[in-house]
Amino acid sequence: MTALQVAVVGVGPRGLSVLQRISELADQLPEGRTLDVHLIDPGDGGQGTHSARQPSHLLTNTVASQVTMFADARGPSFTEWAQSAGYREFDGAYHPTGGESGEPLGEHAYLPRQILGAYLSWVFDQTVGSLPPQVRVVHHRDRAVDIEQTDGDRFVVHLEKGFALTGDYVFLTTGHCERIPTQEDLAYEEFARDNADRNPSLAYCSTPYPVERLQAIDPGSTVAVQGFGLTAHDVISELTVGRGGTFHGSGHAMEYRPSGREPEILLFSRQCLPFSARGVNQKGITGAHRPRFFTKEAVRRARERAAQRGDSRLDFTEDVLPLLLREMGYAYRAAQEQRSIPPEEYELTAADRRVVEEILDPLGGRDFANQGAFTKFFVDYVESDLEHAELGNTTSPLKAATDVIRDTRASLREAVEFSGLTPASHRTFNATYVPVMNRVSFGPPRHRNYQLLALLRAGIVDLAGGPGGRLVLDRDAARFAVRTDYPDGPEIRHADALVVARLDAFHPEHDRSPLVNGLLGRGLVRPYANGPFEPGGLDIDEQGRPITAAGEPLRTAWAVGYLVEGPRFYTHALPRQGMTSQFTLDADAAVRGMVGHIQHLYDTSQEDEHAGAERKSVSLPGIS
């Protein structure tokens, strides 16, 4: 019997998770049925954007002990693997010495992403090495540039180097993408190009990745970094430690010693607020806040009430946010009183609500006369937040409250996914609430903000402006400028280079990938839309099958991960040890869909074989 051909397009963590599930579910294939799995990725298996070749100063933003590719505990977590591989800590650096020198890795360590890449490749090698006999793997170190559908449900996958392979099943797991230049990008690029003769240091980076491209920024020049999030910390690290600078000491005593090759770094964003540091994890590796009010069941009840009004879609501000605020207030009060409060005894008081709202919007009602006043607020805010982070995520009321957002993602998904919100509310959720939740709950490790304070003291980093600061092109000076209007007068800071430090949402119609363009052009996929609102991502059904331009699901293709951030919510997180993971569930559902389709075809062929001359034509329903 000819092997069925399976194409997995993209073999980062998402593609690896699909391969893991294929290995684990292969015993459910009909007897004698085999699979040839074609893995299409130019990089090392499993790594994706977590290249083992990237600089060691780029860190994971999640405690390594909570990261695993084995949510079912059948294999080691990231930390367990690193320990077994001999990694030890040497004053903030990590090396696989295998000896007793250095410090052992603790469960609170944030390890370099290059080591995560090595872990993912180890998992890949283990998975390939333990595949059952009915599964064979071929790794094509190439990129898929087009996919076309042939007769029936089969596909032809075209690779960049000219090879084409036929697939019975396709899994799209390509991960992060890159947008085509916007009008703003083109204007900034043109400005840098047209004025290079007057200012040779002019440069524009619409994305900082790979970070090695930032080495083109001239030492001694001034660079404006747009953003304060995790990507901005990568940029800062590359322009400081990546230039030979060093940090010494820890906590508030940390000092930065420059190499002399750094540029001056100016930070700005629309609100100019730093991302809050992760609190010391006091919940254990598998611990999480157990929701009492913001539960999936509460969201379903809210949806039932909405349906009685004539539309089951929710308004986030009216139907969902009150549940989240009450949950955050409950966690805040429980930490403040250091006791478990019976849920029936808790109501969100006006005082609790003010505290939670100030956590979410620390600028509310504040005015700043000038840049000096805002800079003082900014530094005080970072220092206060770090004090709470050091207390821990159950001792600090603030960190207990913000951790609620991280620990109730399942409830958020219940509310948001697959057009669970009205289009207008979905737009508000994405534009207003998602950035706030990312800032207060999904921030950097504590030492990143200690480093930020040390760089501010050293004069390497400064704020380009404050809330409402905007970028302008100063053609007379041949430099970028950030302008913030204060009551005491405008603050204007100039820069030679501009780096946009953010990851854009994936909009297939605005993506530079030839594969995505080909899929759209052939009508095999379409952008997801919630009515008139298009948040990004490919449209899929709840099994993960792409919806075609004609509105029908592809019966033998699946998309998971970043490509479907739109119909799904928060697809970025790797699995956590010992906890139910949407990452794993999505891969499992997709592979089970393939296995179910194969079983259906086998049952149908058996029916044909044994029907004999008396067989009558039947109409089989489509596979759902």
Side-chain angles (χ1 to χ4, degrees):
M1 185 177 292
T2 304
L4 292 168
Q5 306 298 306
V6 180
V8 180
V9 184
V11 197
R14 284 291 184 170
L16 174 56
S17 69
V18 167
L19 183 62
Q20 286 178 301
R21 299 309 293 151
I22 290 174
S23 176
E24 292 163 6
L25 296 173
D27 60 356
Q28 298 183 24
L29 294 171
E31 184 177 356
R33 192 44 102 178
T34 61
L35 301 178
D36 283 350
V37 181
H38 299 268
L39 306 176
I40 303 167
D41 195 303
D44 294 330
Q47 293 184 10
T49 59
H50 308 285
S51 170
R53 298 178 178 86
Q54 65 188 299
S56 62
H57 60 79
L58 300 180
L59 304 180
T60 59
N61 293 302
T62 302
V63 175
S65 59
Q66 293 186 336
V67 175
T68 184
M69 285 302 295
F70 303 97
D72 55 9
R74 294 183 186 181
S77 71
F78 180 22
T79 293
E80 290 168 343
W81 172 84
Q83 291 168 338
S84 67
Y87 280 92
R88 308 276 291 187
E89 181 182 356
F90 298 83
D91 193 25
Y94 300 89
H95 303 285
T97 63
E100 296 300 318
S101 58
E103 297 293 327
L105 302 186
E107 69 172 34
H108 299 297
Y110 291 85
L111 298 179
R113 294 205 288 267
Q114 63 172 211
I115 302 179
L116 176 58
Y119 168 65
L120 293 169
S121 279
W122 178 85
V123 176
F124 175 83
D125 292 341
Q126 294 295 307
T127 303
V128 171
S130 61
L131 288 171
Q134 60 267 48
V135 179
R136 185 175 73 101
V137 159
V138 181
H139 187 179
H140 303 266
R141 289 185 176 270
D142 202 350
R143 301 180 192 277
V145 294
D146 196 10
I147 298 176
E148 58 180 314
Q149 192 171 28
T150 61
D151 296 337
D153 293 325
R154 306 190 80 201
F155 302 93
V156 175
V157 183
H158 296 273
L159 307 188
E160 191 173 49
K161 296 177 182 176
F163 185 70
L165 58 92
T166 301
D168 298 286
Y169 302 94
V170 169
F171 294 90
L172 298 173
T173 55
T174 54
H176 287 287
C177 305
E178 189 175 348
R179 70 175 189 269
I180 61 175
T182 64
Q183 290 301 313
E184 186 177 73
D185 291 325
L186 295 173
Y188 293 162
E189 289 170 358
E190 181 182 24
F191 175 74
R193 184 174 58 251
D194 290 351
N195 292 279
D197 57 335
R198 293 194 294 142
N199 183 358
S201 295
L202 268 180
Y204 173 63
C205 294
S206 61
T207 175
Y209 298 113
V211 294
E212 289 81 359
R213 71 174 57 184
L214 301 178
Q215 292 301 321
I217 294 174
D218 290 340
S221 64
T222 301
V223 54
V225 178
Q226 186 177 26
F228 278 84
L230 303 177
T231 301
H233 280 284
D234 284 352
V235 173
I236 294 169
S237 185
E238 178 65 16
L239 293 175
T240 54
V241 177
R243 295 287 180 101
T246 54
F247 289 97
H248 298 269
S250 60
H252 289 294
M254 183 181 292
E255 295 181 355
Y256 179 73
R257 297 176 188 171
S259 68
R261 297 191 293 112
E262 300 90 346
E264 179 187 5
I265 301 169
L266 300 177
L267 303 178
F268 76 102
S269 70
R270 182 169 54 87
Q271 287 196 308
C272 210
L273 282 172
F275 272 41
S276 299
R278 299 279 181 102
V280 172
N281 180 37
Q282 299 173 301
K283 302 176 182 178
I285 295 173
T286 61
H289 172 82
R290 181 173 63 85
R292 277 77 165 181
F293 308 104
F294 187 33
T295 63
K296 294 171 69 173
E297 292 73 22
V299 173
R300 290 166 186 158
R301 290 194 295 271
R303 197 173 300 286
E304 290 171 0
R305 292 192 295 271
Q308 293 174 0
R309 302 194 299 262
D311 187 345
S312 64
R313 294 175 298 180
L314 301 173
D315 181 287
F316 184 83
T317 304
E318 298 296 325
D319 301 318
V320 183
L321 185 60
L323 297 172
L324 176 58
L325 294 179
R326 188 179 183 191
E327 194 71 55
M328 292 178 69
Y330 173 83
Y332 187 95
R333 178 87 66 81
Q336 189 178 53
E337 299 181 7
Q338 285 298 293
R339 69 185 182 96
S340 178
I341 302 174
E344 62 273 13
E345 296 181 7
Y346 179 76
E347 289 294 334
L348 182 69
T349 65
D352 287 352
R353 186 182 182 95
R354 283 196 298 272
V355 167
V356 174
E357 288 179 342
E358 185 174 356
I359 290 172
L360 299 177
D361 182 18
L363 293 177
R366 294 179 183 270
D367 292 312
F368 304 96
N370 49 48
Q371 185 62 41
F374 178 73
T375 299
K376 182 181 185 306
F377 164 82
F378 182 95
V379 172
D380 290 347
Y381 181 89
V382 175
E383 290 178 343
S384 174
D385 178 75
L386 283 167
E387 290 175 6
H388 283 281
E390 294 293 356
L391 290 174
N393 57 10
T394 63
T395 302
S396 163
L398 186 149
K399 293 303 175 184
T402 56
D403 244 30
V404 164
I405 298 172
R406 186 171 183 240
D407 290 339
T408 58
R409 280 186 298 221
S411 302
L412 284 167
R413 291 187 179 109
E414 185 71 27
V416 174
E417 288 192 338
F418 294 103
S419 303
L421 302 177
T422 65
S425 181
H426 197 172
R427 185 187 301 275
T428 300
F429 174 74
N430 277 23
T432 302
Y433 293 105
V434 171
V436 169
M437 291 189 292
N438 287 340
R439 179 176 54 77
V440 303
S441 188
F442 301 101
R446 299 184 307 285
H447 75 276
R448 284 299 197 206
N449 277 358
Y450 282 121
Q451 289 177 346
L452 176 60
L453 292 175
L455 290 165
L456 285 165
R457 290 192 296 269
I460 300 296
V461 169
D462 200 357
L463 302 182
R470 65 188 189 276
L471 186 76
V472 295
L473 303 179
D474 189 334
R475 301 185 185 279
D476 293 335
R479 303 180 84 193
F480 297 99
V482 177
R483 177 183 175 121
T484 307
D485 292 315
Y486 290 107
D488 287 356
E491 176 78 14
I492 301 174
R493 299 293 301 273
H494 285 85
D496 306 295
L498 171 64
V499 178
V500 178
R502 67 170 184 263
L503 292 177
D504 295 299
F506 166 63
H507 288 270
E509 66 274 35
H510 302 305
D511 192 76
R512 66 168 68 232
S513 164
L515 173 62
V516 173
N517 291 334
L519 290 168
L520 284 172
R522 295 182 184 278
L524 293 179
V525 300
R526 69 181 186 186
Y528 165 69
N530 181 4
F533 177 51
E534 297 184 358
L538 298 179
D539 197 5
I540 55 171
D541 66 10
E542 294 200 22
Q543 298 177 45
R545 302 180 302 183
I547 305 297
T548 67
E552 297 294 328
L554 290 173
R555 299 199 302 173
T556 56
W558 293 265
V560 297
Y562 186 69
L563 288 175
V564 297
E565 181 76 15
R568 295 201 179 277
F569 173 68
Y570 211 88
T571 60
H572 319 294
L574 290 171
R576 286 182 63 181
Q577 185 86 339
M579 300 185 68
T580 301
S581 164
Q582 195 63 43
F583 180 104
T584 304
L585 292 176
D586 291 347
D588 182 75
V591 175
R592 286 187 186 276
M594 178 186 72
V595 172
H597 189 271
I598 295 170
Q599 291 171 337
H600 174 82
L601 293 179
Y602 176 81
D603 292 342
T604 304
S605 67
Q606 291 294 97
E607 181 181 306
D608 289 345
E609 183 177 334
H610 297 292
E614 300 300 317
R615 181 181 183 278
K616 296 182 179 180
S617 297
V618 295
S619 176
L620 292 175
I623 301 167
S624 62

